[in-house]
Amino acid sequence: MTTAAEFVAVSRRFGEFTAVDALSLAIREGELTTLLGPSGCGKTTSLRMLAGYLSPTAGTIEIGGKDVTRTPPEKRGLGMVFQSYALFPHLSVADNVGYGLKLRKVSRAERARRVGEALDLVGLGHLGDRRPTKLSGGQQQRVALARAIVIRPRLLLLDEPLSNLDARLRVQMRGEIRRIQAETGLTVVLVTHDQEEALEMSDRMVVMNAGRVMQEGPPDDLFPAPANRFVAEFLGYENFLHVPARGLVTVRPELLRVRGGDGGNGGNGADATGAADGAAVPATVTSLAYRGVELRVLLDAVDATGATVPLIASVRRDTVASEDLPALLPGGRVTVSAAPEHLVPLDA
Ligand SMILES: Nc1ncnc2c1ncn2[C@@H]1O[C@H](COP(=O)(O)OP(=O)(O)OP(=O)(O)O)[C@@H](O)[C@H]1O
Ligand SMILES: [Mg+2]
C-alpha cells in the first residue's frame, strides 16, 4: 500500500497551548481516511498543516514521499473544502468551479470541458449558470466539492463538509462522496466529529483527543475493539464496569442479558446462564424505555470494585422469558450478565 502523505511527529503549539501533539500518521493512497474527534482536538489544525496553510512547530509533513513542510499550499497539489464552503458569490457556479483551472492557465475550451465533467460528477450539470447564493446548502456543498476535484488533486481534504446540511441530505452526501471517491480513485482526508459518518465512510479512521491519536484502523477493526474508554465512549459504548480478572471492560447494550432475581450467588460469580468467565452482576432496574421491538432497560449495577455503575441493556421484547418479566419494572432486582467473548477489555 502506497503512502500518499505522512505526518512525522508533527506538533503545533499556539503560545503555551499544544493543539497537535507529536502526530505521526500515514495517509494511504486511494483510501478515505477520517480524522474523528471532539471539538478542539486538533482536526482542523492537522488538516491545515497538511494543506500548507499553517506550519508545524515541530516535525515534518510529507506528500508523495517528499518533505513539503516548507512548501506553500498552491504547490502541494491538493484540493480542499473548508468548514465554510467559501464560494465566490459574484461568480457563476461554473466560474467558481473553473477558478482554479484559470489560475493554472488552462485553456478556455479545456476548462469548459473539465468544469462540465466535475459538475456532472456532483450532479449539478444543469446549474452552471446560477449564482451560488441562489443554491441550497447541499448544492453549495457540491459546488465546493466540484471546485476542489476539478484540479485533479493528489489529495482531497474535506473539513466537516457535511456539517451545514440537514440530517437527510447529510446521509445522502456520505454516499455521494464515497461514490465520487470510488469513481476518481482519489485519496481523501475527511475531518468529522460524527462517529456514524466516520464509521460509514472511512477506509481508515483515526480517533483523536487533545491533539493525539487515540486509535486508528479500519472501522471494522476499530469498532468492535476500542482501545480505551475515550474511544469506546466516542464510538457510542455506554456500559463501563470492572469485572474480576479482566479489569475495566465495556459491552454493548444488546449483548447484555437481564434475568430476574439476583442469581443467588451475590452476583460476582458465575450465573445460571454459564457466563463463568464473563460478568454477572446484581443490579436494580431504574427505568425502562420502549422502542418498538427493543426494550431499553436502565440499571444500577454493582461491579467487582463494589462501585455502583449505570448500565443500559437493550432487550428484544419478544425474547424475554416469562419468568424474567416480573423483574423488568423500576425497582426490580435482576442479574445482568454477558458472555466472555462480548467483554471488550479497555486500557485504564
Ligand atoms: N490560531 C489559533 N490560535 C490559538 N489557538 C488556536 C488557533 N487555532 C486553533 N487553536 C486551538 O487549537 C485547538 C484545536 O483547534 P482545531 O480547530 O484544530 O480543533 P478541531 O478539532 O478542528 O475542532 P472543531 O471540531 O470544533 O472544528 C483548539 O483548542 C483551538 O482553540
Ligand atoms: Mg475544526
Side-chain angles (χ1 to χ4, degrees):
M1 181 67 70
T2 320
T3 299
E6 195 163 0
F7 292 87
V8 185
V10 170
S11 296
R12 172 68 209 202
R13 290 206 323 264
F14 295 107
E16 292 291 285
F17 178 74
T18 302
V20 174
D21 193 3
L23 174 68
S24 287
L25 177 67
I27 309 294
R28 300 181 185 197
E29 193 160 305
E31 286 196 348
L32 191 150
T33 301
T34 50
L35 305 184
L36 172 71
S39 187
C41 75
K43 306 181 296 293
T44 295
T45 302
S46 302
L47 209 63
R48 290 179 67 210
M49 289 193 287
L50 182 54
Y53 296 108
L54 191 67
S55 317
T57 44
T60 56
I61 291 178
E62 293 175 10
I63 295 176
K66 287 209 195 76
D67 184 342
V68 296
T69 316
R70 314 245 168 278
T71 308
E74 65 276 11
K75 299 244 169 74
R76 294 193 187 190
L78 312 183
M80 179 144 182
V81 176
F82 296 91
Q83 238 162 323
S84 64
Y85 310 137
L87 299 174
F88 301 117
H90 59 288
L91 295 182
S92 70
V93 163
D95 287 344
N96 262 282
V97 174
Y99 187 79
L101 297 177
K102 203 169 172 183
L103 283 184
R104 287 168 175 77
K105 308 251 187 310
V106 175
S107 75
R108 180 184 291 263
E110 170 76 358
R111 227 156 61 209
R113 194 180 62 73
R114 281 171 61 180
V115 167
E117 260 176 29
L119 284 175
D120 283 343
L121 195 62
V122 299
L124 289 184
H126 56 301
L127 291 180
D129 295 332
R130 284 250 189 113
R131 290 291 165 92
T133 46
K134 302 269 162 64
L135 300 177
S136 71
Q139 289 169 332
Q140 291 183 37
Q141 202 276 334
R142 288 163 197 257
V143 175
L145 203 55
R147 186 177 59 178
I149 58 187
V150 77
I151 61 165
R152 295 181 188 145
R154 295 202 280 185
L155 262 172
L156 177 62
L157 310 183
L158 306 173
D159 193 354
E160 308 256 10
L162 309 181
S163 59
N164 294 336
L165 307 181
D166 68 51
R168 220 175 57 98
L169 199 54
R170 194 154 61 220
V171 170
Q172 187 193 335
M173 282 304 295
R174 288 177 192 166
E176 287 285 288
I177 290 175
R178 275 307 246 172
R179 174 185 61 79
I180 290 166
Q181 193 232 348
E183 282 179 19
T184 56
L186 266 172
T187 306
V188 180
V189 182
L190 178 132
V191 160
T192 180
H193 59 259
D194 181 334
Q195 94 273 10
E196 220 183 74
E197 194 168 293
L199 287 167
E200 183 175 329
M201 295 180 69
S202 311
D203 293 302
R204 294 183 77 76
M205 52 198 280
V206 180
V207 183
M208 293 178 65
N209 185 33
R212 298 187 151 180
V213 173
M214 294 284 105
Q215 194 175 2
E216 64 171 295
D220 284 351
D221 291 350
L222 211 129
F223 188 74
N228 55 45
R229 182 163 183 157
F230 176 85
V231 175
E233 282 184 351
F234 208 77
L235 294 179
Y237 286 78
E238 292 163 302
N239 295 323
F240 299 93
L241 71 166
H242 289 267
V243 301
R246 306 284 291 270
L248 182 66
V249 300
T250 188
V251 56
R252 298 206 58 80
E254 65 275 16
L255 299 174
L256 283 179
R257 286 189 296 254
V258 182
R259 311 284 313 263
D262 64 8
N265 59 8
N268 272 340
D271 75 345
T273 60
D277 299 318
V281 296
T284 306
V285 176
T286 56
S287 66
L288 299 167
Y290 292 94
R291 294 217 187 139
V293 287
E294 179 204 42
L295 175 63
R296 302 262 290 178
V297 185
L298 277 63
L299 305 136
D300 273 342
V302 180
D303 81 356
T305 65
T308 299
V309 291
L311 296 179
I312 300 176
S314 169
V315 176
R316 278 193 50 180
R317 292 171 70 185
D318 52 347
T319 63
V320 178
S322 54
E323 72 262 28
D324 292 327
L325 266 177
L328 290 183
L329 285 172
R333 310 247 306 139
V334 296
T335 299
V336 180
S337 63
E341 67 270 25
H342 293 147
L343 299 178
V344 181
L346 300 173
D347 291 343

